Structures are given as C-alpha cells and as structure tokens.
C-alpha cells in the first residue's frame, strides 16, 4: 500500500501547524496534489497508491471534491497566521493523475486558485502514464491551467518494462509527448536505470529513445529496492538479482555524458534540462527547503519548519474531511542538528550547491579533503559554493556525512 508513515507527534487540536507556527508572507509557496490511483501496481513502487480493488469504499469520482475540502481547511488555518500567498508551483503527482478526467484535475487546480491564487507565471505540472494521454487530454489539461507534463517513459526496452511491471505501450510515449507539445505544454520524460536484467546497452537504447523525443527536461532515476515491494520480495526469494551498484554507476555516467552531449544541462543529481527555464521549479522548491502543502492521502507538507503528513488510505482520508476534520496523521519539527543535515544533503544535490558559509567549522575543514578527493568542485568552493563533481554525485551521502561530521 505504499511506504509506511513516519512516527511523529500527535496533531494539535488547532490543526497540523499548531497555534505557535508562523506563516511568512514573503517566502515562496508550492502545492502538491496527490492522486493515489493506479490501474496496476508496479513491482518496484513504494508510493502511496491504490488499484481499484484496494480502494475499499473510497470513490475516484468524488476525489476532486474531497481534495478541495482539504484545500479549504488549509487556507483557513494559514489565513489565521498571516496573508495567504499564491502558489508559484503546483504538481499533480501520484499514482497516475491522468486516470482521473482532466475536468477533475482542473477542479483541484481551481480549488487552489480560489483559496490561494496561482501566480501568473506559475509552473503547473501533471504526471502522466503514456497510455492515459488520449485525444484531447493534453488540450483539456492546458485549458485547466497545466503548463508542463511529465511523461513516465521509464524504458524503451520491452523486457525492461516487463521487469518493472510497466504495462504502457512504448509507442504511446511519443504520442503523449507530441500531444503535450501541440497543446503548448513543456515536456519532461522520466526514465529509470538499473532494472533487473537491464544491460548498459539496454540503458543506452532508452537514453537514445528519450533524446529522440527532444523533451525540455529529462529525469533519470536509479532503481531503488524499497522494503515491502514486490521487487524486494522477489530479490529476497532469490527470484531476481538485485541492482548492481557498479553497473548503476556506469549507467549514471553514461546518462550524464549522453545528455550533456545532446545539450541537456545537469542541475540536480537525477535531472537535466535544456535551459534554466526548463528546470523543475517545483522539485527545486523541495531541495531548497521552501514551503509546500501536500494534499491527498499520505501527502507530506512542510510549512515554516514544521513537517506533517496525512492518513494514508483514501477511505480514511475522505472520512476525516467529510467530518470536517483535518486529515493530518502526525507532525514533526526537526531540531537544529537535523536541519543542518537535511540542508547539506538536499542542497548538495543541486547544481547551485550549498553556500560554504552554511557549513560548521568541522564541515569547512572536511571540505578541503573532499576537494582533494575529487568529490567537490574546487573552483566553485573558491566562489563560496559546495558543488559536487560527477564522482561526488555518485557518493552524495558520503559527502553529506563528511560535511556534517
């Protein structure tokens, strides 16, 4: 059913922010809209998603209005702490958002616009399974305010798609991309490397296919084996060979080389863009520690240093909101040590890097050794930024631990 929720503090009667939280009128604000529905469950996926057989009474048809109730509740809580500000980015993720009619996704966006406003230049992204982008889908989404579509290609190789339990038709990837582009949307393509049985040449074939689509943005993610997934069980039983770290490193280096040669600029460990304007502003908001509110079952939020998350199942989520209650299940406020670790780990993932001034004295001492080891760009450090080299990106956790030691 997706990843288990973290342990946390109980939600105060005043709502997930409590009575002592502040709300800055100046900081950027982002919105995540979670759509937890999928036709099938991919064997590697640990997201909070549900097939039709797993909904247990929850209604897809009523989902948009249920989310709008949460949007209204959140706006009331934030308005009590200061002026509301418009969303600068909105991301409809899942699950498979495009399993819902475009009109339902538009109603969710309209709810955000009514309560908060959506900035005129906002980035509004929808994730899409290629098979669900049928005639008129992209045009309807664009009319609803979507500006960007992220197409889940994952691979161009049939046996790799099969190993991931992906059921979309590979030829529909191009159709979805063409439809999105014709509707005036920016296009991102997602691919995964390190699947069971995938060779370096298989991966090259997928990269070539992604580049042939000429998208504005490409995300390339290493397959991670998550506890509780079908893939983890298959590996535990010896039915599938686990991902090979060295092969995944070779695949990452190949992606960086081919994407760079094709004019895509790396800006985050797993992301490349044609131009700075093509970067995912929504995901950058996560990595830069901005404020965002996540709506939907299992969605996570970060407001003014407080993190909170909703109940996981769509039925429990709907029941809470039908009763006029917050769907939040728990919250936490990280201490200074946790904050420093998080900032280092996230900011060193991105091309703009981490300001050297944000490091502790021990972190600054560790910086020289990391530069000598070729993990941090020495030229960038001279200009006050910690920026990882290609090798440093492959060892990101090691670098972050050294900088926070």
């Amino acid at each position: 059913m997706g990843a288990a929720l973290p342990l946390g503090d109980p939600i105060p009667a005043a709502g997930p922010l409590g009575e002592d939280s502040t709300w800055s009128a100046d900081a950027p604000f982002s919105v995540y809209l979670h759509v937890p529905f999928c036709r099938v469950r991919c064997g590697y996926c640990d997201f909070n998603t549900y097939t039709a057989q797993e909904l247990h009474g929850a209604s897809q048809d009523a989902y948009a209005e249920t989310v709008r109730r949460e949007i209204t509740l959140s706006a009331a809580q934030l308005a009590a702490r200061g002026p509301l500000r418009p969303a600068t980015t909105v991301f409809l993720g899942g699950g498979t958002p495009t399993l819902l009619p475009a009109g339902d996704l538009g109603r969710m966006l309209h709810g955000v616009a009514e309560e908060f406003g959506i900035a005129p230049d906002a980035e509004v992204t929808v994730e899409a399974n290629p098979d669900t982008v049928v005639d008129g889908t992209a045009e309807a989404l664009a009319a609803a305010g979507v500006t960007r579509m992220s197409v889940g290609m994952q691979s161009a190789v049939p046996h790799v798609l099969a190993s991931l339990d992906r059921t979309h038709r590979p030829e529909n990837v191009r159709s979805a991309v063409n439809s999105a582009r014709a509707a005036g949307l920016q296009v991102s393509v997602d691919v995964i490397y390190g699947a069971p049985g995938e060779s370096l040449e298989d991966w090259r074939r997928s990269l070539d296919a992604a580049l042939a689509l000429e998208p504005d943005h490409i995300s390339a993610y290493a397959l991670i084996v998550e506890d509780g997934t079908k893939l983890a069980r298959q590996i535990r039983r010896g039915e599938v060979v686990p991902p090979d770290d060295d092969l995944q490193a070779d695949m990452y280096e190949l992606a960086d080389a081919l994407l760079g040669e094709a004019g895509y600029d790396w800006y985050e460990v797993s992301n490349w863009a044609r131009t700075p304007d093509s970067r995912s502003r929504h995901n950058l908001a996560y990595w830069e520690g901005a404020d965002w509110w996540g709506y939907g079952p299992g969605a996570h939020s970060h407001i003014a240093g407080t993190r909170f998350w909703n109940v996981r199942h769509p039925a429990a989520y709907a029941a809470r909101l039908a009763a006029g209650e917050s769907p939040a299940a728990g919250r936490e406020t990280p201490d200074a040590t946790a904050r420093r670790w998080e900032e280092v780990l996230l900011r060193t993932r991105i091309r703009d890097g981490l300001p050297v001034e944000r490091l502790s004295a021990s972190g600054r001492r560790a910086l020289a050794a990391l530069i000598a080891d070729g993990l941090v760009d020495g030229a960038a450090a001279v200009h006050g930024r910690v920026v990882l080299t290609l090798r440093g990106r492959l060892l990101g956790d090691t670098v972050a631990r050294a900088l926070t030691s």
Side-chain angles (χ1 to χ4, degrees), residues 67-101:
V67 170
R68 288 188 61 155
R69 290 193 189 100
E70 186 187 1
I71 294 170
T72 299
L73 279 178
S74 71
Q77 184 171 29
L78 290 171
R81 289 159 176 77
L84 299 182
R85 55 187 191 263
T88 55
T89 72
V90 183
F91 196 99
L92 295 115
T96 309
T98 44
L99 272 183
L100 291 182

Side-chain angles (χ1 to χ4, degrees), residues 157-166:
V157 181
H159 80 83
V160 175
L161 288 173
S163 75
L164 295 171
D165 293 326
R166 297 291 295 188

Side-chain angles (χ1 to χ4, degrees), residues 133 149 151 172-183 185 187-189 213-215:
V133 183
M149 182 180 288
V151 180
N172 283 349
V173 175
R174 177 170 289 280
S175 175
V177 168
N178 289 344
S179 294
R181 189 173 287 121
L185 305 181
V187 178
S188 179
V189 169
L213 297 170
E214 299 184 336

Side-chain angles (χ1 to χ4, degrees), residues 265 273-281:
D265 185 47
R274 278 192 179 276
T275 68
D277 288 342
S278 301
R279 295 178 178 183
S280 171
R281 288 161 50 197

Side-chain angles (χ1 to χ4, degrees), residues 13-14 42 44 46 54 66 86 122 150 158 208 220 248 260 265 300 310 314 332 336 339 363 377 398:
C42 298
Y44 65 92
D46 190 42
E54 297 167 336
T66 302
S150 179
D208 288 341
Q248 283 193 326
D265 185 47
H300 287 234
N310 287 344
E332 65 181 6
R339 281 281 175 199
D377 184 335
T398 299

Side-chain angles (χ1 to χ4, degrees), residues 144-207:
V146 171
T147 65
R148 184 174 180 271
M149 182 180 288
S150 179
V151 180
M153 173 181 165
Q154 314 313 355
S155 176
V157 181
H159 80 83
V160 175
L161 288 173
S163 75
L164 295 171
D165 293 326
R166 297 291 295 188
T167 59
H168 71 261
R169 298 172 63 190
E171 60 269 26
N172 283 349
V173 175
R174 177 170 289 280
S175 175
V177 168
N178 289 344
S179 294
R181 189 173 287 121
L185 305 181
Q186 280 202 349
V187 178
S188 179
V189 169
D190 290 355
V191 285
I192 293 177
Y193 59 91
E198 183 179 30
S199 68
L200 193 60
E201 284 309 306
D202 289 333
W203 175 233
R204 181 186 293 272
R205 182 175 160 190
S206 291
L207 288 169

